[in-house]
Amino acid sequence: MTDRRSFQQIVIAAMGAVMSGAMAIPAVAYLFATPKSRRKAGWVEAGDIGQVPLNTPEEVVFRRTRVDGWKTSNERASAWVIRTSPTEVIALAPQCTHLGCAYHWAEDKKEFACPCHTSAFSMDGKVLSGPAPRSLDRYEVKLEGSKLLLGEVRRDA
Amino acid sequence: MTRSYGHPVLNWLEDRTGLPGLVEDFLMEDIPASSGWHQVFGSVALFSFLIQMVTGILLSMNYAPTPGEAWNSVRYIMTELTGGAMMRGLHHWGASVMIIVVVLHMVQVFIWGSYKKPREGTWVVGVFLLLLTMLYGLTGYLLPWDNRAYWGTVVATQIGASIPGAGEWVTRLLAAENGIGVATFARFYAIHVLVLPPATLLLIAFHVFLVRRHGVAPAPGDNLPKKKFYPEQVFKDTVAIFIVFAILFTLAATVRVPLERLADPTDNSYIPRPDWYFLFLFQTLKFFEGPAEIVGSVILPNIAIVALILAPWLDRSPAKRARQRGFAMGIVAVAALGWTGLTVAAVRSTPPTKAVDVTTISGPEPWQFLTPVELAGAGLYKKENCMQCHGKGSTQFGPDLLAKGQTKTAAELIAHFRNPMAKVPGSTMPPINMTTAELNSLASFVLKLSPKNVALLESIPAYASDAAQIYQKNQCGACHMVNSVGQKLGPALNGLAERRDRNWIVDHFANPQKLSPGTTMPPYKFTPKDMDRITNWLLEIPSA
């Protein structure tokens, strides 16, 4: 009788464990795996920067297409663009690397200032002060004449 | 008062919360010696409800409950997410499993006579749980917002509207006065996820409470000493649950739940059909015509529901042995046979579906590469019912246009459309009364037909061919290019979806100057339906 009892208890536990696992594995994959996205973001035109003066940050607003879950949306995005020489340009992603607030160019101090936790960055994105853990992230850039093309945002090491 | 469990943590828990004692009382409940395999169905029904809850919650985490996006998000779940097709499979097949298990549970209770005094209340609550289970099926059917969902719900809401006296109220409750729309969708979703689950949980709690209050029903003549619920009956319940789970899991993993095309209210070729467990009602309807129709759609089903609820009072004899209850057993047999017969008849009389499963298609479909003129021609081909005489395998009235490629030129075809008798003496084909542009479209589509693309015609969604006709009528091709046909004054429209979204396109039609300063495109005013058609199609023109 005790044999039978313990056999039943083992079967209950084993079947329960198998079923929990069979539900949990696909559920975890479903929630955590990256979607098999079909489209890769390419280069986006961000406008003509021929008129932007050298070494003066300018906020450039452009439209880009983004695969967002089940939607592909065409949305406005921005970048801080600095022409460092007639043929060179850098484009900074417009979020502070601390907690993602939008920062602005403080003309008087010649630095990028984040209003949230007072992080400050130099014109080329280096941390000057505050809690920001790394330099500002940069877009990949390509110039076709004076036309600026932006690629993916790269995190600075 | 406080029980001791031989472990300080358990003792602490028992002292402060009483939970260990609660679990112990639940597992160590006395049940009749005659309890056994026949009583596993209640636990299995509860288990299948839990599966529906878990998979439903998981699906909702990637689902957009509005007609504009529901279909896209379901497609995303099915094609983009790891385990997404599995989750939808479990939820879809789980619904069927739950219906089967709940019905088996009820049949067992009926045959064993367990609904009789003092367990009438348990039975009535059970009948309401069965009705809730069916309501889940009815409301969940609309949520993928594909053609199957849309057209099935059109029929269901029309039946609701035909109820004498209450029809108008049902229609208003479902916000279906002006057909199935955004508000109807919101109501169905709210009922499915916010109204039914708490109602089910409450009724299940009450049902289980009543089972405990009156004790599990003993088999007739069981006077033996009681035994404990755990572990023997729990073991039997678990084995039954495991078998059902294994079947459900296999179904979900191997049989893909199709997602048909986006709901299209203008698709006049779609044949709606309900889920298999409602087919018997669908078939019953066919026996009643005209004013008698509500007998099949409303009166008989309601009589059946009332009779189920009243069963414990319709049959008050204390006899519980099946042998002594010939009439009651006869009812079970007739119901089972009737249900099976009606379902088989319904399955046999519905033509096989031609619907496309969009989740099996990757990349653009062949019809998306048709030029606007050909696509418009496909719409005209359907509108003129050309396949009636020229369909696959036809020889009697006209040649099968799909059997071999066209050998005639467009000009010859147009001349033939205008005056069939002149080209083919004795032809029974009626002359086609259309503008030259339309005849052109029709001819270019007929030229496309060949044995290789038999499926092409079937696969073209109605909105796309309608959109192409609008495109042709407005001569959009005079400035724009689609699939290499048209002019280059305006931008080519291939791959538009990568550059613009739906709102932009709609706004741009209304006021091109605002969004593209300096453009020569005039504003266009379309009816909302036409706007839907044209934007749907424009967004589906593949990248060049």
Side-chain angles (χ1 to χ4, degrees):
Chain A
M1 197 63 198
T2 31
D3 274 358
R4 186 169 165 168
R5 207 180 146 85
S6 49
F7 166 74
Q8 288 173 342
Q9 285 169 332
I10 290 167
V11 170
I12 292 167
M15 286 182 166
V18 169
M19 289 189 287
S20 309
M23 282 303 287
I25 293 166
V28 168
Y30 171 81
L31 288 176
F32 293 97
T34 325
K36 312 161 199 159
S37 196
R38 284 165 295 186
R39 214 171 287 143
K40 240 186 120 46
W43 292 90
V44 218
E45 282 184 33
D48 193 306
I49 55 160
Q51 301 306 312
V52 177
L54 288 183
N55 293 314
T56 312
E58 172 140 331
E59 191 177 15
V60 171
V61 176
F62 57 96
R63 294 198 76 91
R64 67 164 171 206
T65 307
R66 191 163 65 99
V67 178
D68 178 14
W70 49 86
K71 271 176 93 169
T72 303
S73 47
N74 186 262
E75 59 184 18
R76 279 154 55 89
S78 70
W80 282 96
V81 172
I82 304 112
R83 286 180 75 199
T84 50
S85 84
T87 55
E88 283 170 305
V89 65
I90 56 176
L92 301 171
Q95 290 95 23
C96 177
T97 50
H98 179 216
L99 292 172
C101 292
Y103 58 83
H104 60 269
W105 176 247
E107 184 59 44
D108 50 341
K109 292 186 194 160
K110 299 278 180 209
E111 63 181 36
F112 286 112
C114 179
C116 290
H117 306 93
T118 64
S119 286
F121 305 87
S122 64
M123 194 186 289
D124 61 352
K126 299 257 170 357
V127 181
L128 297 176
S129 64
R134 61 172 197 278
S135 304
L136 292 170
D137 299 333
R138 292 184 179 195
Y139 285 95
E140 291 177 323
V141 289
K142 209 156 69 173
L143 273 175
E144 281 178 2
S146 59
K147 196 167 73 179
L148 175 64
L149 297 171
L150 297 180
E152 283 179 42
V153 174
R154 293 261 179 245
R155 180 179 278 214
D156 208 16
Chain B
M1 178 71 208
T2 306
R3 291 181 254 192
S4 177
Y5 287 94
H7 189 285
V9 174
L10 279 179
N11 287 339
W12 183 88
L13 264 181
E14 174 63 19
D15 182 54
R16 304 302 200 279
T17 68
L19 279 177
L22 215 65
V23 174
E24 188 189 16
D25 288 346
F26 186 82
L27 290 176
M28 292 305 154
E29 199 218 3
D30 286 331
I31 59 169
S34 57
S35 282
W37 290 106
H38 63 284
Q39 276 161 336
V40 298
F41 297 107
S43 297
V44 182
L46 178 60
F47 174 79
S48 53
F49 176 67
L50 289 178
I51 292 277
Q52 292 307 93
M53 260 179 63
V54 170
T55 53
I57 289 171
L58 284 168
L59 285 175
S60 77
M61 294 202 179
N62 284 300
Y63 173 74
T66 62
E69 294 195 17
W71 184 85
N72 276 326
S73 60
V74 175
R75 187 176 185 164
Y76 171 74
I77 290 172
M78 296 290 289
T79 59
E80 299 276 304
L81 294 180
T82 311
M86 184 77 202
M87 285 304 145
R88 181 158 178 252
L90 285 170
H91 199 68
H92 177 93
W93 298 116
S96 292
V97 165
M98 187 163 163
I99 293 264
I100 295 172
V101 172
V102 167
V103 168
L104 286 178
H105 181 42
M106 202 173 72
V107 170
Q108 184 271 320
V109 167
F110 192 87
I111 292 177
W112 263 256
S114 312
Y115 57 97
K116 298 190 174 203
K117 190 183 168 186
R119 299 187 176 83
E120 300 97 325
T122 326
W123 169 266
V124 171
V125 173
V127 174
F128 279 103
L129 280 167
L130 170 70
L131 295 178
L132 287 184
T133 309
M134 294 171 101
L135 278 181
Y136 278 111
L138 209 62
T139 49
Y141 205 71
L142 180 63
L143 302 184
W145 197 252
D146 58 358
N147 258 337
R148 188 179 105 108
Y150 178 85
W151 289 104
T153 306
V154 166
V155 175
T157 51
Q158 299 276 342
I159 289 173
S162 72
I163 304 170
E168 203 191 327
W169 297 101
V170 171
T171 312
R172 288 203 185 169
L173 179 65
L174 299 176
E177 300 100 311
N178 303 313
I180 313 282
V182 285
T184 325
F185 191 94
R187 304 275 166 110
F188 272 66
Y189 180 70
I191 293 171
H192 192 78
V193 307
L194 291 175
V195 178
L196 296 178
T200 314
L201 286 172
L202 277 175
L203 285 187
I204 287 175
F206 190 38
H207 194 71
V208 172
F209 166 77
L210 288 175
V211 170
R212 298 270 147 160
R213 183 177 152 90
H214 299 293
V216 172
D222 172 11
N223 296 318
L224 296 165
K226 300 259 180 191
K227 59 181 181 184
K228 299 289 178 199
F229 180 50
Y230 184 85
E232 193 186 318
Q233 187 65 27
V234 174
F235 164 77
K236 287 174 181 166
D237 287 1
T238 308
V239 170
I241 285 170
F242 190 80
I243 292 168
V244 169
F245 180 75
I247 294 170
L248 172 59
F249 197 85
T250 313
L251 262 177
T254 54
V255 189
R256 203 178 171 84
V257 184
L259 177 67
E260 295 181 6
R261 284 194 195 291
L262 181 66
D264 182 358
T266 63
D267 186 344
N268 53 18
S269 64
Y270 195 82
I271 306 160
R273 76 204 65 219
D275 249 334
W276 65 267
Y277 44 86
F278 286 127
L279 278 176
F280 74 105
L281 286 172
F282 171 82
Q283 189 67 14
T284 310
L285 272 184
K286 296 184 184 166
F287 298 118
F288 303 93
E289 278 174 17
E293 196 182 82
I294 58 161
V295 175
S297 62
V298 179
I299 298 176
L300 281 180
N302 276 296
I303 289 178
I305 292 169
V306 172
L308 267 183
I309 293 172
L310 295 182
W313 295 277
L314 294 173
D315 168 23
R316 289 187 205 219
S317 96
K320 287 189 177 170
R321 283 180 203 280
R323 257 179 282 128
Q324 299 163 343
R325 296 161 56 227
F327 184 68
M329 293 304 113
I331 289 178
V332 176
V334 167
L337 278 176
W339 183 88
T340 313
L342 287 168
T343 304
V344 169
V347 170
R348 283 200 175 165
S349 61
T350 28
T353 177
K354 291 178 195 157
V356 185
D357 178 5
V358 297
T359 64
T360 58
I361 304 162
S362 64
E365 298 175 56
W367 70 263
Q368 289 175 278
F369 293 101
L370 289 176
T371 62
V373 66
E374 291 159 355
L375 205 48
L380 298 166
Y381 187 86
K382 276 192 195 169
K383 197 161 94 192
E384 290 291 323
N385 250 324
C386 302
M387 59 280 219
Q388 191 113 35
C389 298
H390 297 291
K392 195 169 160 40
S394 60
T395 47
Q396 196 185 354
F397 298 109
D400 177 354
L401 290 179
L402 298 161
K404 55 182 172 51
Q406 257 317 316
T407 49
K408 296 197 180 71
T409 64
E412 284 170 337
L413 283 174
I414 292 171
H416 178 63
F417 294 154
R418 285 208 168 106
N419 189 356
M421 292 282 274
K423 286 273 170 188
V424 185
S427 169
T428 52
M429 176 164 144
I432 303 173
N433 197 5
M434 281 186 196
T435 64
T436 309
E438 287 175 329
L439 287 172
N440 246 323
S441 278
L442 188 57
S444 15
F445 179 70
V446 170
L447 286 174
K448 270 269 154 179
L449 288 173
S450 75
K452 266 193 280 178
N453 58 14
V454 176
L456 184 68
L457 183 65
E458 294 296 344
S459 73
I460 300 172
Y463 64 82
S465 52
D466 289 345
Q469 286 180 57
I470 299 168
Y471 185 92
Q472 288 301 103
K473 211 172 283 168
N474 288 293
Q475 302 185 335
C476 307
C479 294
H480 293 286
M481 190 178 264
V482 169
N483 293 331
S484 312
V485 172
Q487 301 300 314
K488 285 182 174 171
L489 290 172
L493 297 174
N494 282 77
L496 186 66
E498 284 154 32
R499 310 195 294 270
R500 309 293 181 198
D501 61 11
R502 180 180 299 271
N503 291 338
W504 190 93
I505 297 170
V506 171
D507 292 347
H508 189 266
F509 271 126
N511 188 354
Q513 282 295 339
K514 200 179 97 192
L515 293 166
S516 318
T519 180
T520 53
M521 175 161 158
Y524 288 92
K525 241 183 106 107
F526 296 124
T527 63
K529 275 193 175 158
D530 280 351
M531 184 63 91
D532 270 356
R533 293 171 176 137
I534 191 122
T535 43
N536 276 345
W537 172 60
L538 285 175
L539 290 168
E540 287 183 346
I541 303 172
S543 324

